[in-house]
Amino acid sequence: MGNRGMEELIPLVNKLQDAFSSIGQACNLDLPQIAVVGGQSAGKSSVLENFVGRDFLPRGSGIVTRRPLILQLIFSKTEYAEFLHCKSKKFTDFDEVRQEIEAETDRVTGTNKGISPVPINLRVYSPNVLNLTLIDLPGITKVPVGDQPHDIEYQIKDMILQFISRDSCLILAVTPGNTDLANSDALKMAKEVDPQGLRTIGVITKLDLMDEGTDAKDILENKLLPLRRGYIGVVNRSQKDIDGKKDIKAALGAERKFFLSHPGYRHIAERMGTPHLQKTLNQQLTNHIRETLPALRNKLQSQLLSLEKEVEEYKNFRPDDPTRKTKALLQMVQQFGVDFEKRIEGSGDQVDTLELSGGARINRIFHERFPFELVKMEFDEKDLRREISYAIKNIHGVRTGLFTPDMAFEAIVKKQVVKLKEPCLKCVDMVIQELINTVRQCTAKLLSYPKLREETERIVTTYIREREGKTKDQILLLIDIELSYINTNHEDFIGFANAYYTEQIIPGAQQRSSQLNKKRAVPNQGEILVIRRGWLTINNISIMKGGSKEYWFILTAESLSWYKDEEEKEKKYMLPLDNLKIRDIEKGFMSTKHIFAIFNTEQRNVYKDLRQIELACDSQEDVDSWKASFLRAGVYPEKDQREEEETQENTFSMDPQLERQVETIRNLVDSYICIVNKSIRDLMPKTIMHLMINNSKDFIHSELLAYLYSSADQNSLMEESADQAQRREDMLRMYHALKEALKIIGDISTSTATTPVPPPVDDTWLQNSNSGHSPTVQRRPVSTVLPPSRPPAVRGPTPGPPLIPVPAGGSAFIAPPIPSRPGPQGPFAAANNDPFSAPPQIPSRPARIPPGVPPGVPRRPPPTAPAKPNYW
């Protein structure tokens, strides 16, 4: 029952399939399989049932097989079947197998005749089968019937191609013998994915249903429509036999009797029938498995190597070992401290290239977000002037003051300094949020122990919140210290004399404000300070002029320039910052960009014919950062229209003396607030780093472990999560499955026989099959050389060049066609004995079949062979 080497090899492949099916890896390994392809009612189901020796496949009209059936046939002393989706149940009644296939098909595809590529895995153990693995695919159909989807043909073809396109899949192309072979969809699809014919085996069914007086002898002898691996003919039970419950064993006997008694097939009867098809498939599968084993071994070894490092720590893992728990707790707490410090201080290993994190985000808060909040306080010029005038008048009371009161200066300065509390506290809140996010990121490595992760986050976060109060108290203390003494002798303070001189030289509030803004932006007037570089998209350029486009922008204290790219060689435009302001733009419904605009307060065009340019960023955070940079350059946000109207209503005329006093106080306030802001910008990061960040790092390194031990016992802290335990078990199981698979491959006997691949044949008829007709049989002219005299039943190797094959038949009722050239007969006998080891050459002209000879009438014996001719 098949060759011994095959019976040893296929169980090993089934073990490989089992090893990886249990861990969900079967689809990733192209294990050698045989796919059964054919049209509807081609006899695929009957062929499979003959393998098993039982009726178990659903039958009916239309498309019955709607999901691939992976059928593993395993030789066993007992007979039963089992499904992978209900592996614990063994089916001994094959009617129940059919019902389970139908039920499982409906569970996935429903009852509307739809199809699904999800396979049904069925394993059949029987003493009547050889070890084979086959895939039964839905039959190829052309026209949807009933409630089938309109694209059913393409769905089925796509699914079939999904299976047979694999290089490790052998194709069993089933075609009925009573149809035109040149129109076979199975052979056509096999040709598409296997143009060399290395993986395709032809099966001809329904030979007993061919018209009387016709046969498929030329096809089965691989002469008329040749395939590289040839054809095997089978005779299945008819529908009448199936309905009559004809035993499959009896059907196999009838099949054997058919081939022995049929005059066209009796000479090749040993190479026909279901038993020979089983043996042939086994041998072809043997060859295929042996060819794919090296690649399979390499794939398994690469997977094994990728798991080795992670599995190493699990090999001797004991969950309840107290020593292991103590060691793991110490290591994890230490690693948490190292990770936290690396994220805050920065590190060269494992750098995040997608976004800022940890210390980089805190640095951005210190030097972009916090200065942005400070600068936002300085642009309300009219409100400040009004407050100064009220302060001066209220200090003078009923008197008209002759001198500028210094008390007005102190009152206004203190009011401005108090306003610093809000941005300072906001800066602390932002840093705390980043610290908490950093803690959560660092505890991600503690996922294996959820209790430990929860306690670590709770303890560290609680400590950070405690430091928050102390840090805010210290910052408020810094503000109170600034309020406690107004140091008018500071070296950077301009003083009353310089303030009055500035007003005399630069009269007018707007001119003074503009000059002071530029002075703040450019510490050294001899240099051009680049405030920011980066990519921005100009969003409001019309499609006719090229549409939105990204440019490389450079913002300085004097201008905004943009270039084609970051090389800064091709400048597109330079926009002076005079009279520019910023306004917010609502994001479009379909837009993913965040937009702000720059416009000219004097209603002039900003760029070409645009009154404003809309600049787009990828995130709101980038928009805020750019706004902060523009504020540093003296470009302020647009005031709300309502606020402007209220300001205009409250505007009053001042006498020249009061106006001079207001301007003097304004210059003094501006100078002193610049000193305070500079001091606060310097002290804020230092205070936060000392009282919060550095203290948090010290706490994690020195006290966290003690707090963990006091919060819960070690066993509860180091209780492993169910997900981690499952992951460890899955990884160990996969690791051992890979090792077992490699061991199985290593155990395969090297003595397994391998048959050589048949030589190529002329299969161009498959490419021309769209014509819908088989190749035309042409008549050959009668040769002037005498025909061979030796009957073809006498076979034996004869030296000489290969010739066009002459059909060999032992029957007296069959006359061979007349050869065009005589020649030795040796190669033909070899070709007839085993078409898979050495199929015959293709005749240049098909043999002529004598017409008009009724069945049963004896034909004249073939002529004897002449002497060996000379070829020139």
Side-chain angles (χ1 to χ4, degrees), residues 12 23 47 54 60 138 154 171 178 191 196 205 218 375 409 430 464 516 539 597 649 756 770 816 821 837 860 863 870:
L12 298 179
I23 55 176
V47 170
R54 290 283 189 174
Y154 302 103
I171 305 169
N178 57 355
K191 177 67 175 178
Q196 301 298 323
T205 61
D218 288 341
V375 173
F409 163 72
M430 288 189 291
I464 291 175
L516 288 177
N539 202 55
E649 292 175 0
N770 292 333
R821 300 178 67 181
S837 60
R860 64 181 181 180
N870 293 324

Side-chain angles (χ1 to χ4, degrees), residues 328-467:
L329 177 60
L330 294 174
Q331 289 177 341
M332 288 186 176
V333 172
Q334 183 180 10
Q335 186 62 43
F336 171 75
V338 171
D339 291 343
F340 183 81
E341 186 165 0
K342 281 185 177 180
R343 284 184 175 271
I344 296 298
E345 301 295 339
S347 173
D349 56 340
Q350 298 180 355
V351 177
D352 189 353
T353 59
L354 299 178
E355 61 178 358
L356 297 179
S357 62
R361 295 181 67 89
I362 293 175
N363 178 73
R364 190 171 185 175
I365 292 172
F366 286 158
H367 301 294
E368 287 189 12
R369 299 296 301 277
F370 180 57
F372 172 72
E373 297 296 330
L374 293 179
V375 173
K376 279 200 306 185
M377 299 167 46
E378 301 176 2
F379 74 91
D380 200 352
E381 177 69 24
K382 292 183 179 179
D383 287 346
L384 183 59
R385 287 174 56 82
R386 186 172 63 251
E387 291 175 2
I388 293 173
S389 66
Y390 287 157
I392 294 174
K393 288 183 176 181
N394 288 331
I395 290 173
H396 287 160
V398 295
R399 299 180 301 276
T400 302
L402 299 177
F403 303 101
T404 303
D406 56 352
M407 294 177 62
F409 163 72
E410 287 195 12
I412 296 299
V413 164
K414 288 182 177 179
K415 186 173 182 180
Q416 295 299 316
V417 172
V418 169
K419 290 181 181 180
L420 295 177
K421 291 183 178 181
E422 182 180 352
C424 290
L425 296 179
K426 185 176 181 180
C427 176
V428 175
D429 292 335
M430 288 189 291
V431 172
I432 287 174
Q433 189 59 47
E434 290 301 331
L435 284 177
I436 293 175
N437 291 339
T438 302
V439 170
R440 289 174 181 167
Q441 292 169 357
C442 294
T443 55
K445 292 184 178 180
L446 307 180
L447 277 174
S448 304
Y449 304 96
K451 181 67 173 177
L452 176 61
R453 180 184 184 183
E454 179 183 345
E455 284 299 310
T456 302
E457 283 189 11
R458 182 186 65 81
I459 292 171
V460 177
T461 303
T462 302
Y463 182 80
I464 291 175
R465 290 297 181 187
E466 291 176 359
R467 301 308 302 177

Side-chain angles (χ1 to χ4, degrees), residues 195-211:
Q196 301 298 323
L198 297 174
R199 301 187 283 118
T200 305
I201 303 172
V203 177
I204 307 298
T205 61
K206 301 186 180 182
L207 294 172
D208 55 332
L209 301 182
M210 296 183 68
D211 294 338

Side-chain angles (χ1 to χ4, degrees), residues 396 400-404 654-662:
H396 287 160
T400 302
L402 299 177
F403 303 101
T404 303
M654 293 185 289
D655 60 85
Q657 182 180 355
L658 178 60
E659 187 171 350
R660 286 194 299 271
Q661 293 177 352
V662 168

